[in-house]
Amino acid sequence: MILYLQMPKSQLPGVPAIWLTLVLSLYCIATLQAQAPTQTIEPTYVSVADGLVSPNAQSVMQDSFGLIWIGTGNGLQKYDGYRFETFKNSPGKTTSLQHNNVWSLMEDADHNIWVGTGLGLSRYDRRKNEFKNYLFPGYFNTPTGAPYGITFRIFQDSQKNLWAVTRFLGLLKYNKTIDHWEFAKYEVPGVELPDHYEPCLSIAEDNKGGLWFGSSLYGLMHQAKGDSIFRQVQHESVAKLKEANTITYLHFDSTQTLWITSRIGVYKYNPETDALKTIVTYTESNDDGLNHWNMILPDKEGNIWIANNFRGILKFNGLSDTYTEIEISGKMKMRTHGWNITLTNFIIDQSGIFWFGSLESGLVKYDPVNKPFQHLSHDPANPNGLSAGGIFGIVASKVKPGIVYIGTRGNGVNVYDPKKQTFEKITFKVVDDMFGGSARAIAENSDGSLWLGTWGDGLVELDKNYKEIRRFKYDSLNENSLSHNQVRVVKSDKQGRVWVGTNNGVNILNPKDNTIQRIINKHGRQYPSPLIQEMDSLISTDQKLAGIEKVIDNQNITQPVEITETGTYWVMAVTEMDPLLMADFGWIENAAKDTVWKMNKYDETLHAGGAYKNRIALGSVTLEPGTYNLRYRTDDSHAYGKWNDAPPTQTSLYGIVLLKPQAGDRVQSFQTEILPEKEELYTSGSNISDMEITDKYIWVAAAGSGIDRIDVTTNQVKTYTHQPDDVNSLSHNNVRDIHADSRGMIWFATNEGVTKLDPSTETFTRYSETDGLPTNLIEAIEEGDNGEMWIGTQNGLSQMVINERLGKTTFINYNSSDGIGGDVFLSLTNTRASDGRFYFGGDHGLTTFTNVTSNKTPPAIIISNLFISNKSISDFKEDSPLSTSLLETKSISLAFDQNN
């Protein structure tokens, strides 16, 4: 089926409207001659919203000072990377820009900016901040006037001669002596007076000083060095490069091969042998008025890039004939034309960044250095892609180099092969997993079998074929079972034991005999049961002086008690308390309402059984004769008879009691050491965030509890916490990730930035937003090469570069615009594979990359303006203290009254 439509072609300034007949077919004819490999780039855009005066960027140039100049259909702009300065025609002002339709730009050897407009040429004087305008020869003799001034290219040769390639006046040369533009001289066999009224598009110079010019009427023209006439290249191989196949751009590479683009294709020409080689042939839309926009440039690696109007971008591998089609993310190739973006010309700036002009999208900016990231996300249409649910856990295989095991939230484990770009799916039996089959933690054994920490089904072991072998779960009747079914961390030590971090503490599994040792949370330590039983028995006798027991919610109770003799009295209180809040609590006050005993420090209480917030305190208080008050207060939840979590189990008391002094032989001391003579392992918190196993220590982070350093050889535990008045401490007690680097340093991802610990000196170094991090909310840390660290945050990815010679640390921050997929990363979803590839995950999927090379080109530093008494120096005109432009000024002398 073929549908014929007649429609107007979009009219550009200075371009007459024409009518085209478009044939829309079921077959796409906008194809290259041969199918080439593709590469997709994800550029950023400088648009009207950023300050560009028009989305129609017809020309772009970087000057010798590093400034970007943009010629648009609505004026000329200068861009310093932060702000735009705009130049336009002001009617009646002869020193303003000649015409707002800017087609071409060039900086000459004297740093003048030449501007090709719709009426001719303008030369910008930097010192005076004004333009001198030139009309072309024969301008008033042309049939339609204005359009004949359009200049497509401005070129300065090695002899500092200036040339203008125009739309209807062919090639022009600047006569500096008379400050005038005149026709270049042509010589064509058999033509007495060669015609100059022709559209021409290109000029180039070879390494001998010879000039080459593409004439639409006469094809390829050449002027040897020292000659003053362009002569037609006669060889039959290039005879076709004219008229319907007009040359659109010329470029000499390092081997002095002439690269040629035309309306029909891409060619290579050898001037020594006159051999012309066709590289690409186009069959569609060769008469389209927009296909004159072409440009050819080499990049820093020597690859040849061709910006090819609506036909897209070609990148040649070095100087070879092999090329890649560059696709722009978000743009599409239309069935009967080319891409839905038309590229005008482009530059590669001093730092290697590409700036493409376009007719529809303003400036297209592509930095090949800072686009190293690959984003892997769930695609419902791809059965071999990443499963849904986001990244929940990850580990790089050591048994299968390059392979990565990825835990998902609700869809089991994905085995990722980066070479094949495929994801194999692993599932396991789901019983109680909160999300329907999650792997929050993954660990690999030396035989390739796996441990999976699930989010409700405990710890599951799979053999090397990914079949379940066994699982360990919490059993309320078995103190040697797993302490919780939500498992966040699984790590193996060098003794072959498996350390399991859960939402209720750390467990040590011996896989050989299936035994589990729980490491007690220090806030889960309890008074010896015989001691509490003794206290309970005293409460039920006349040894109790006063008591407030079995207190319900929303109470504020006072009970007076009379003390008749001086002595040491004993107190027991059971309450609800956590490290941040006293929900329920008791105290004793005297007649003057002064507190003489209280329980208000979480760390001075022990666990009363049940939920960890059930706290018990035993203490002594010396009282003189007089009247005292027992006090007890509760909030609106978790009190006797209305528990919102597990109630206390060690005692039936919920309140406060005061006991008479006791004989030493009955209760030796209510302050008896609660730990046995042999030290017992413990952690400071129960909700385990991460663990790291080093040669000497096990490092454990629990939510809000800082870091515990466990020495398993001596059973000693040392805790590091944040100290507000001590910079040599942890930056925050919430630690989400622990990373031991190759130099023995321990790194912590916290809620207040990154903290580094030198274990040998116990010296902490902190890094935060003030040092360059994008946020203080840090999720993950992974070591790179040469001392660099990669940091996953809640505001992108940060590369920490340490220059030890200079003693300087720099953070290079990347966000979603750099291709990382998302800005919020999740803890424990980071790893580095044996092939050197990094992985960082989150709900957005997986971000992966290898080496990231930062742009090493120092930025150009300029003084962009100078104000004297609040007046810009560019407005001083003849009274300016500058003898040249501000950019070229090395020093300046000011009058005594020019002191502001």
Side-chain angles (χ1 to χ4, degrees):
M1 170 181 159
I2 298 177
L3 174 66
Y4 293 88
L5 293 177
Q6 192 176 51
M7 57 188 300
K9 183 185 173 187
S10 299
Q11 186 174 358
L12 295 174
V15 180
I18 60 175
W19 290 85
L20 299 177
T21 300
L22 299 182
V23 180
L24 303 181
S25 171
L26 292 177
Y27 299 98
C28 176
I29 61 172
T31 58
L32 295 177
Q33 185 174 2
Q35 187 65 40
T38 62
Q39 174 190 344
T40 300
I41 63 173
E42 295 187 6
T44 56
Y45 294 86
V46 180
S47 66
V48 173
D50 301 304
L52 203 63
V53 291
S54 170
N56 182 345
Q58 298 181 153
S59 185
V60 59
M61 179 199 78
Q62 184 177 39
D63 68 19
S64 55
F65 302 103
L67 298 168
I68 302 293
W69 294 78
I70 309 105
T72 80
N74 190 29
L76 170 68
Q77 291 189 283
K78 180 175 66 176
Y79 181 50
D80 63 9
Y82 298 93
R83 62 186 181 87
F84 289 90
E85 181 178 359
T86 304
F87 305 90
K88 288 190 176 185
N89 175 259
S90 297
K93 186 177 180 181
T94 59
T95 59
S96 68
L97 185 66
Q98 185 182 44
H99 194 270
N100 287 337
N101 192 7
V102 178
W103 292 80
S104 56
L105 294 164
M106 192 273 295
E107 181 185 27
D108 67 21
D110 298 321
H111 304 301
N112 298 306
I113 303 296
W114 289 85
V115 185
T117 76
L119 289 180
L121 280 166
S122 296
R123 183 180 65 193
Y124 175 61
D125 187 322
R126 293 180 191 264
R127 187 183 73 84
K128 295 181 180 180
N129 193 33
E130 61 185 30
F131 295 86
K132 180 170 183 179
N133 298 311
Y134 298 84
L135 294 176
F136 289 149
Y139 172 79
F140 294 107
N141 298 323
T142 59
T144 59
Y148 284 73
I150 293 174
T151 303
F152 286 128
R153 304 271 187 265
I154 313 167
F155 179 76
Q156 185 171 41
D157 65 26
S158 59
Q159 306 303 308
K160 297 187 178 181
N161 297 307
L162 289 173
W163 305 87
V165 183
T166 71
R167 177 175 175 131
F168 288 114
L169 300 175
L171 181 64
L172 302 174
K173 182 179 181 182
Y174 177 61
N175 188 327
K176 188 174 183 179
T177 304
I178 61 174
D179 193 22
H180 185 68
W181 288 85
E182 54 194 23
F183 289 117
K185 297 179 181 179
Y186 299 173
E187 183 177 289
V188 179
V191 180
E192 183 177 353
L193 294 174
D195 193 351
H196 281 79
Y197 293 97
E198 59 165 347
C200 296
L201 300 164
S202 56
I203 187 171
E205 183 176 16
D206 61 33
N207 65 353
K208 298 177 182 179
L211 296 176
W212 299 78
F213 160 57
S215 165
S216 62
L217 293 177
Y218 309 117
L220 187 62
M221 309 278 283
H222 175 237
Q223 175 181 288
K225 183 178 180 181
D227 198 352
S228 60
I229 299 175
F230 281 88
R231 306 175 194 278
Q232 187 182 41
V233 176
Q234 291 293 301
H235 198 277
E236 61 182 3
S237 66
V238 297
K240 61 182 178 182
L241 297 176
K242 59 183 179 180
E243 297 175 349
N245 194 22
T246 300
I247 295 171
T248 56
Y249 204 84
L250 299 171
H251 168 77
F252 278 97
D253 67 24
S254 58
T255 67
Q256 290 305 289
T257 297
L258 180 60
W259 292 67
I260 303 172
T261 58
S262 76
R263 289 187 179 276
I264 291 179
V266 179
Y267 310 89
K268 287 182 179 179
Y269 174 63
N270 187 332
E272 298 296 327
T273 63
D274 275 328
L276 184 75
K277 184 176 184 179
T278 301
I279 308 298
V280 180
T281 299
Y282 302 103
T283 58
E284 83 287 356
S285 303
N286 292 329
D287 58 347
D288 193 314
L290 298 181
N291 72 12
H292 67 271
W293 263 306
N294 292 81
M295 195 159 188
I296 309 171
L297 283 180
D299 64 19
K300 289 187 174 183
E301 286 72 42
N303 304 306
I304 299 294
W305 292 68
I306 299 178
N308 221 13
N309 52 73
F310 56 82
R311 290 166 175 154
I313 306 170
L314 304 180
K315 176 187 176 183
F316 283 79
N317 183 17
L319 304 181
S320 73
D321 299 341
T322 304
Y323 59 86
T324 299
E325 279 194 88
I326 304 298
E327 299 183 352
I328 299 176
S329 178
K331 302 299 180 182
M332 62 179 290
K333 185 179 287 187
M334 296 178 289
R335 295 176 59 192
T336 58
H337 194 58
W339 290 91
N340 64 341
I341 182 172
T342 304
L343 303 176
T344 54
N345 74 348
F346 76 103
I347 60 168
I348 304 173
D349 73 15
Q350 297 163 7
S351 62
I353 295 174
F354 288 68
W355 300 79
F356 296 91
S358 79
L359 282 186
E360 307 89 354
S361 303
L363 279 182
V364 183
K365 180 183 176 184
Y366 166 60
D367 187 345
V369 173
N370 288 334
K371 295 292 184 181
F373 303 106
Q374 181 184 10
H375 176 224
L376 306 172
S377 61
H378 173 61
D379 179 1
N382 182 7
N384 294 318
L386 182 67
S387 293
I391 309 302
F392 208 34
I394 195 168
V395 71
S397 174
K398 293 182 180 179
V399 178
K400 304 174 182 178
I403 296 297
V404 178
Y405 295 102
I406 301 165
T408 70
R409 190 186 285 105
N411 284 286
V413 177
N414 287 192
V415 185
Y416 177 58
D417 185 335
K419 292 183 178 179
K420 297 179 181 178
Q421 297 277 296
T422 57
F423 295 82
E424 180 185 354
K425 310 303 192 298
I426 300 174
T427 58
F428 53 89
K429 182 181 179 181
V430 178
V431 180
D432 296 311
D433 187 275
M434 180 181 295
F435 300 109
S438 308
R440 183 68 171 108
I442 308 173
E444 183 186 43
N445 295 319
S446 58
D447 62 353
S449 60
L450 300 176
W451 293 100
L452 305 183
T454 73
W455 213 238
D457 280 324
L459 181 67
V460 177
E461 184 180 14
L462 308 180
D463 65 18
K464 61 182 180 181
N465 296 315
Y466 312 136
K467 303 298 182 184
E468 182 173 335
I469 302 174
R470 51 186 167 173
R471 69 174 60 194
F472 300 86
K473 297 190 71 174
Y474 169 70
D475 182 350
S476 61
L477 301 178
N478 181 4
E479 292 186 354
N480 294 319
S481 67
L482 201 66
S483 59
H484 201 281
N485 284 330
Q486 290 181 348
V487 177
R488 186 177 276 109
V489 190
V490 180
K491 297 285 178 72
S492 297
D493 64 19
K494 55 187 176 182
Q495 285 79 36
R497 298 174 300 183
V498 180
W499 290 68
V500 185
T502 76
N503 273 3
N504 187 24
V506 175
N507 304 255
I508 306 175
L509 166 66
N510 186 337
K512 295 179 181 178
D513 59 12
N514 291 343
T515 59
I516 291 177
Q517 173 194 350
R518 295 182 185 177
I519 297 182
I520 193 169
N521 174 357
K522 76 176 182 179
H523 300 302
R525 295 180 294 179
Q526 295 182 324
Y527 289 106
S529 293
L531 179 62
I532 300 302
Q533 291 170 4
E534 182 74 13
M535 291 294 296
D536 280 345
S537 67
L538 292 174
I539 291 171
S540 62
T541 69
D542 59 0
Q543 295 298 306
K544 180 177 72 172
L545 275 177
I548 302 173
E549 307 174 51
K550 298 183 178 180
V551 186
I552 62 176
D553 61 341
N554 289 314
Q555 300 297 304
N556 186 1
I557 302 174
T558 300
Q559 185 178 100
V561 59
E562 194 71 27
I563 300 298
T564 58
E565 59 181 70
T566 301
T568 300
Y569 295 79
W570 296 94
V571 187
M572 183 166 81
V574 180
T575 68
E576 176 192 6
M577 184 185 298
D578 63 34
L580 301 177
L581 178 67
M582 291 188 300
D584 305 334
F585 56 98
W587 72 101
I588 303 173
E589 59 187 27
N590 59 22
K593 296 188 181 300
D594 296 325
T595 299
V596 297
W597 184 92
K598 61 182 177 179
M599 56 181 307
N600 66 342
K601 292 185 178 180
Y602 184 80
D603 287 342
E604 293 177 2
T605 65
L606 297 183
H607 186 211
Y612 274 124
K613 62 184 179 180
N614 300 323
R615 312 305 298 173
I616 186 170
L618 293 177
S620 63
V621 57
T622 300
L623 300 177
E624 302 290 336
T627 300
Y628 295 84
N629 287 321
L630 263 64
R631 301 291 308 275
Y632 198 87
R633 179 176 292 174
T634 59
D635 66 0
D636 61 354
S637 64
H638 196 75
Y640 192 85
K642 189 181 178 181
W643 311 110
N644 62 13
D645 206 338
T649 57
Q650 198 176 27
T651 176
S652 61
L653 174 68
Y654 196 79
I656 184 170
V657 293
L658 180 66
L659 301 177
K660 295 177 181 179
Q662 302 298 308
D665 59 349
R666 183 161 193 184
V667 179
Q668 293 182 352
S669 173
F670 290 131
Q671 305 301 335
T672 302
E673 289 290 332
I674 65 168
L675 296 177
E677 292 184 3
K678 181 183 177 182
E679 288 287 342
E680 185 178 10
L681 292 180
Y682 67 86
T683 60
S684 297
S686 58
N687 194 342
I688 306 303
S689 304
D690 193 19
M691 295 188 293
E692 182 76 312
I693 298 178
T694 60
D695 289 340
K696 188 174 181 180
Y697 301 117
I698 311 294
W699 302 83
V700 179
S705 303
I707 294 293
D708 292 318
R709 188 194 70 186
I710 300 175
D711 188 335
V712 292
T713 60
T714 63
N715 271 9
Q716 291 182 333
V717 181
K718 182 168 185 177
T719 301
Y720 300 95
T721 59
H722 170 66
Q723 302 299 322
D725 300 324
D726 186 3
V727 294
N728 189 39
S729 68
L730 200 62
S731 57
H732 197 276
N733 286 331
N734 264 335
V735 176
R736 291 185 172 91
D737 189 27
I738 311 171
H739 180 83
D741 72 17
S742 58
R743 303 184 183 188
M745 300 295 107
I746 310 297
W747 298 78
F748 306 107
T750 82
N751 276 11
E752 286 293 338
V754 173
T755 302
K756 179 181 72 173
L757 170 64
D758 185 339
S760 62
T761 62
E762 295 193 290
T763 302
F764 289 88
T765 305
R766 301 176 181 178
Y767 303 93
S768 66
E769 292 176 10
T770 58
D771 300 297
L773 280 168
T775 178
N776 283 338
L777 298 173
I778 310 301
E779 294 285 344
I781 302 175
E782 202 68 47
E783 183 180 11
D785 299 321
N786 303 317
E788 74 173 11
M789 307 299 292
W790 283 92
I791 302 163
T793 79
Q794 290 189 24
N795 188 24
L797 196 61
S798 186
Q799 181 185 17
M800 180 181 184
V801 181
I802 302 172
N803 188 321
E804 294 182 347
R805 183 176 61 86
L806 296 177
K808 184 178 181 181
T809 299
T810 303
F811 292 89
I812 305 169
N813 300 320
Y814 304 91
N815 56 35
S816 53
S817 66
D818 296 301
I820 64 175
D823 291 334
V824 179
F825 291 91
L826 181 66
S827 62
L828 309 182
T829 63
N830 55 290
T831 191
R832 192 179 188 191
S834 58
D835 60 4
R837 181 167 286 276
F838 294 88
Y839 295 86
F840 285 82
D843 288 339
H844 59 273
L846 196 62
T847 299
T848 177
F849 57 94
T850 51
N851 293 324
V852 177
T853 303
S854 300
N855 202 313
K856 299 298 191 296
T857 305
I861 299 175
I862 64 170
I863 298 175
S864 60
N865 208 341
L866 172 65
F867 293 84
I868 300 175
S869 299
N870 292 326
K871 181 179 179 181
S872 172
I873 203 163
S874 62
D875 296 330
F876 272 66
K877 305 302 179 185
E878 300 303 328
D879 297 329
S880 174
L882 303 182
S883 58
T884 184
S885 73
L886 180 62
L887 294 172
E888 298 171 279
T889 298
K890 303 301 181 184
S891 63
I892 185 171
S893 297
L894 299 174
F896 74 94
D897 59 347
Q898 293 177 318
N899 55 19
N900 179 17

